[in-house]
Amino acid sequence: MLRQRLLLGPILILVMIVGIWLDERLAGAAVPVSLSWLFPGRDVVPPGVAILAALLLLSIPASREIAQILIDNGIQASKRVTTTAAIAGLILSFAVPRGLDGPTGAAILSTGSIVVFLAALMFYSRHKTFEGIVAAAGGTLLAFVYLGLMPGFLLTLRQEHSAWVVLWAVLTTKSCDIGAYFTGITLGRHKLIPWLSPGKTWEGLAGGVLTAAAVGAGGAWLLNRSLDLVTPDLLLGALGGALFAVLGQAGDLIESLFKRDAGMKDSGRSVPGFGGVLDIMDSVLVVAPAAYWLLRLA
């Protein structure tokens, strides 16, 4: 497994870098006439298009994994409905216009949640039975929030910052996993939460936090040297890295909670060495909202 991770990890990082570069290149470019239907009312491509495309692609296998977790828990779950709910959350996060007042933006997101909820109730009651309907509708809302609105914060972050800042937040978060893994297998003695995640240790968590703080500070330094934009300074980069590490590990534990409840070790087998797509995304899902608010309030 370690060999597979070492081989695939750099490839995934390279793919992310290419995607971020593409997003920077596309933002502000003139919208071709043939694609004007994709961007109604816009003359130029908005920021975040490439990031949205990547998240939409990831949401398909991730939604199917969430659906399988629900099914293994005895809950009705249509993989099509779960995927549609996640995609709806992502598109809603991307499509809410900038410059709206707070109440209007909140009303749009709330309305989207209501539509998803009512649509799920209608779908799962189509056979004129009430058994399991509440749990099934709740599972649909889980996908809408967990795989739609939460990663959607990366799109909101992109609206206010360079795409490279988004990459900084993601790589800083994932660096904790690397630091925690190698520190844990080398120095790990005291289990973090043995009943939930037996492999995690307090020593590994400390190593992950220190690694993410260093990567966060180093990334902030690179951003400040490379971009003529508002970027986090060194202190904020280090503090943000430590915060992302703790929240990222919490995200990993949340997914472990889902998997253990369903009697699963990994969410899937689609990514060699890592498990499923959820096993890669779990930490970023929780960090994305925190990254947005950290930079918004700093």
Side-chain angles (χ1 to χ4, degrees):
M1 181 179 293
L2 177 59
R3 182 173 178 271
Q4 290 176 317
R5 289 189 177 190
L6 291 176
L7 290 173
L8 187 58
I11 296 175
L12 294 176
I13 292 174
L14 179 60
V15 170
M16 281 192 291
I17 292 173
V18 171
I20 292 299
W21 173 83
L22 181 61
D23 194 273
E24 284 284 346
R25 295 280 294 181
L26 289 175
V31 176
V33 176
S34 59
L35 297 178
S36 58
W37 59 275
L38 283 174
F39 309 102
R42 294 178 181 267
D43 297 323
V44 297
V45 177
V49 168
I51 296 174
L52 172 63
L55 290 175
L56 288 173
L57 287 174
L58 291 172
S59 72
I60 296 173
S63 298
R64 295 177 67 85
E65 291 168 8
I66 278 288
Q68 191 60 53
I69 288 174
L70 294 171
I71 291 169
D72 287 353
N73 271 293
I75 298 172
Q76 292 187 65
S78 164
K79 294 181 179 180
R80 289 177 297 169
V81 172
T82 305
T83 302
T84 301
I87 290 174
L90 286 170
I91 292 178
L92 194 59
S93 299
F94 178 77
V96 173
R98 294 185 63 187
L100 287 179
D101 59 274
T104 302
I108 292 174
L109 290 176
S110 298
T111 302
S113 303
I114 293 169
V115 170
V116 168
F117 177 62
L118 293 178
L121 287 176
M122 292 174 62
F123 177 83
Y124 288 112
S125 62
R126 69 192 187 281
H127 296 306
K128 299 180 181 180
T129 179
F130 53 80
E131 294 181 1
I133 300 301
V134 174
T140 303
L141 282 178
L142 171 66
F144 177 74
V145 174
Y146 188 57
L147 297 177
L149 297 186
M150 289 172 68
F153 269 92
L154 294 176
L155 300 169
T156 307
L157 180 65
R158 175 64 180 104
Q159 295 294 320
E160 300 183 7
H161 297 275
S162 165
W164 298 109
V165 174
V166 176
L167 181 66
W168 165 79
V170 172
L171 291 184
T172 299
T173 301
K174 300 309 293 184
S175 72
C176 172
D177 296 343
I178 298 172
Y181 179 81
F182 286 105
T183 305
I185 62 175
T186 304
L187 303 174
R189 297 293 183 273
H190 303 86
K191 299 296 183 181
L192 185 61
I193 307 180
W195 62 270
L196 179 59
S197 186
K200 292 187 182 299
T201 63
W202 285 103
E203 292 84 359
L205 176 61
V209 169
L210 291 175
T211 301
V215 171
W221 179 80
L222 285 174
L223 288 173
N224 278 285
R225 286 184 60 87
S226 305
L227 300 176
D228 187 21
L229 298 168
V230 177
T231 55
D233 58 29
L234 249 63
L235 178 59
L236 184 63
L239 292 176
L243 175 64
F244 297 169
V246 173
L247 292 177
Q249 291 300 293
D252 190 286
L253 291 171
I254 289 171
E255 200 226 344
S256 293
L257 193 64
F258 293 162
K259 292 185 296 185
R260 299 295 181 267
D261 192 30
M264 302 166 65
K265 181 180 183 297
D266 295 317
S267 62
R269 299 180 179 178
S270 56
V271 187
F274 291 90
V277 173
L278 275 180
D279 294 310
I280 295 178
M281 294 178 64
D282 53 11
S283 55
V284 178
L285 294 175
V286 175
V287 167
Y292 170 78
W293 285 111
L294 175 70
L295 296 178
R296 180 67 184 269
L297 300 175

